């Protein structure tokens, strides 16, 4: 069942859902909360940029196998900050793919999942904010990764922090998921 | 970060390296069958004694939720999906110590 604006406010009020910083009144719609684009935007280096980082004469073909366990160092190595204008905005040309995050940090209980979706106004310009990965699992904590691409005709000038880039739809699970099991490990040193 | 603290949270040993974003880390966990998986998680879900660098990973602990306990292993949920599979993995109990 999708939570209404009032149910979302109740869940925020009693701490069941945490959004940090808390949303203002105008971030709510009837059945979702709009979230802002965070300040850190990454793009993946082009083949030419990666090749220029290799020693002279070394040709390293790029073929990524998603099943390869050590793919993380590649993602870390291949990413770089997107160039920014003096006002902090960045330009997203047609068919350009970048990674961003929501400004707000989210914490969900294990009984509420969410879906991140684009906003229709921005979609009309061709801006996609996620690529086949809208599910925010129950129990999630953190900022939401946005896989953004401009499928429109014109370059877009995007201002992080100010732009409400996406919306978050909350759904209460029909029953609690398996676990959590209270084991002896819970009482051990944890990270909090 | 606010309330909503889960009292059933535990932590397991893992290797920790830098993530793609400044506020995330890559964690590397050995599974019960010997495979190693990696996941990008929020920095707050990880504890380390020293921060990892671009050159080296460090030993640390990552927040988990225990789903099922077996004789020698534990089924648990990592904070995020692993790169090759989902967030639910089976690890040796020794990783809790």
């Amino acid at each position: 069942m999708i939570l209404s604006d009032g149910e979302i406010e109740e869940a925020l009020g009693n701490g069941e859902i945490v959004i940090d910083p808390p949303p203002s009144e105008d971030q709510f719609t009837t059945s979702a909360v709009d979230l802002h684009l965070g300040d850190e935007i990454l793009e993946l280096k082009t083949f030419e940029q990666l090749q220029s980082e290799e020693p002279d004469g070394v040709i390293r073909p790029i073929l990524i196998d998603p099943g390869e366990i050590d793919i993380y160092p590649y993602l870390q190595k291949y990413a770089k900050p997107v160039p920014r204008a003096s006002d902090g905005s960045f330009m997203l040309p047609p068919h350009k793919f970048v990674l961003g995050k929501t400004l707000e940090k989210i914490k969900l209980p294990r009984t509420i999942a969410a879906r991140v979706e684009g906003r229709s106004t921005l979609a009309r310009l061709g801006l996609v904010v996620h690529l086949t990965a809208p599910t925010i699992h129950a129990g999630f904590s953190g900022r939401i990764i946005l896989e953004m691409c401009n499928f429109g005709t014109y370059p877009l000038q995007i201002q992080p922090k100010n732009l409400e880039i996406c919306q978050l739809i909350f759904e209460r699970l029909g029953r609690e998921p398996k676990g959590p099991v209270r084991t002896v490990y819970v009482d051990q040193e944890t990270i909090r | 970060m606010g309330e909503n603290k889960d009292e059933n949270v535990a932590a397991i040993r893992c290797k920790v390296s830098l993530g793609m974003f400044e506020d995330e880390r890559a964690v590397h966990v050995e599974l019960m069958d010997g495979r190693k998986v990696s996941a990008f998680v929020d920095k707050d879900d990880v504890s380390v004694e020293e921060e990892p660098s671009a050159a080296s990973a460090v030993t640390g602990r990552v927040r988990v939720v225990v789903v099922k306990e077996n004789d020698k292993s534990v089924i648990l949920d990592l904070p995020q999906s692993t790169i090759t599979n989902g967030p639910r993995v089976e690890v040796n109990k020794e990783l809790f110590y």
Side-chain angles (χ1 to χ4, degrees), chain B:
Chain B
M1 178 188 168
E3 296 300 319
N4 188 10
K5 188 169 181 177
D6 191 337
E7 293 181 350
N8 291 292
V9 166
I12 60 170
R13 279 186 287 115
C14 62
K15 285 284 185 187
V16 180
S17 58
L18 295 178
M20 295 177 74
F21 290 87
E22 288 180 5
D23 64 349
E24 74 179 5
R25 296 286 179 264
V27 296
H28 317 287
V29 177
E30 182 168 351
L31 303 186
M32 191 65 185
D33 62 10
R35 285 182 300 140
K36 291 175 181 169
V37 293
S38 303
F40 290 116
V41 304
D42 192 281
K43 189 166 74 171
D44 291 344
D45 288 327
V46 172
S47 70
V48 289
E49 290 192 1
E50 57 176 325
E51 289 296 325
S53 67
S56 63
V58 299
T59 300
R61 298 178 80 85
V62 60
R63 178 179 71 89
V64 300
V65 174
V66 176
V67 174
K68 185 182 178 186
E69 190 174 349
N70 300 320
D71 285 345
K72 294 181 179 177
S73 69
V74 171
I75 309 287
L76 54 82
D77 284 344
L78 294 167
Q80 296 286 336
S81 290
T82 60
I83 292 170
T84 46
N85 300 96
R88 190 158 292 181
V89 296
E90 182 177 12
V91 303
N92 193 307
K93 281 184 176 179
E94 291 181 357
L95 289 187
F96 286 88
Y97 298 102

Side-chain angles (χ1 to χ4, degrees), chain A:
Chain A
M1 183 185 69
I2 292 176
L3 301 191
S4 69
D5 51 359
E7 290 172 304
I8 297 168
E9 281 183 324
E10 283 178 20
L12 290 169
N14 64 26
E16 192 177 18
I17 295 172
V18 179
I19 300 179
D20 183 22
S24 56
E25 288 279 349
D26 59 5
Q27 283 178 250
F28 284 85
T29 61
T30 53
S31 53
V33 174
D34 290 344
L35 300 179
H36 296 89
L37 178 61
D39 198 36
E40 192 177 7
I41 311 294
L42 301 177
E43 63 181 340
L44 298 179
K45 297 173 185 173
T46 63
F47 175 79
E48 289 75 19
Q49 288 168 330
L50 284 171
Q51 202 61 55
S52 69
E53 296 173 358
E54 299 292 350
D56 285 347
V58 174
I59 302 295
R60 193 179 295 278
I62 298 175
L63 177 64
I64 295 178
D65 177 358
E68 186 180 339
I69 291 172
D70 282 338
I71 196 172
Y72 82 90
Y74 295 103
L75 288 173
Q76 207 264 336
K77 178 182 176 185
Y78 289 6
K80 66 169 188 166
V82 169
R84 309 290 278 271
S86 57
D87 64 356
S89 66
F90 68 94
M91 207 257 289
L92 192 62
H95 301 112
K96 175 77 176 179
F97 171 73
V98 297
L99 293 169
K101 278 189 164 190
T102 57
L103 175 72
E104 293 86 355
K105 200 166 182 178
I106 311 298
K107 188 166 174 58
L108 300 177
R110 284 177 61 85
T111 51
I112 293 178
R115 274 183 288 124
V116 61
E117 299 286 1
R119 297 179 53 235
S120 60
T121 312
L122 296 174
R124 289 176 188 232
L125 296 171
L127 180 63
V128 169
V129 298
H130 76 79
L131 295 176
T132 77
T135 306
I136 313 300
H137 292 293
F140 172 87
S141 177
R143 293 185 172 86
I144 299 167
I145 298 286
L146 302 170
E147 307 93 6
M148 297 187 289
C149 192
N150 177 5
F151 284 109
T153 306
Y154 311 109
L156 300 175
Q157 191 80 19
I158 296 178
Q159 180 73 57
K161 297 185 182 176
N162 294 342
L163 180 64
E164 291 177 3
I165 191 91
C166 63
Q167 56 182 323
L168 198 58
I169 299 163
F170 298 93
E171 296 185 79
R172 194 174 291 280
L173 274 58
R175 55 186 287 190
E176 287 205 15
K178 291 180 183 175
V181 175
R182 186 162 182 82
T183 68
V184 294
Y185 310 118
V186 170
D187 294 321
Q188 292 184 320
E189 175 197 6
T190 65
I191 64 165
R192 292 180 195 277

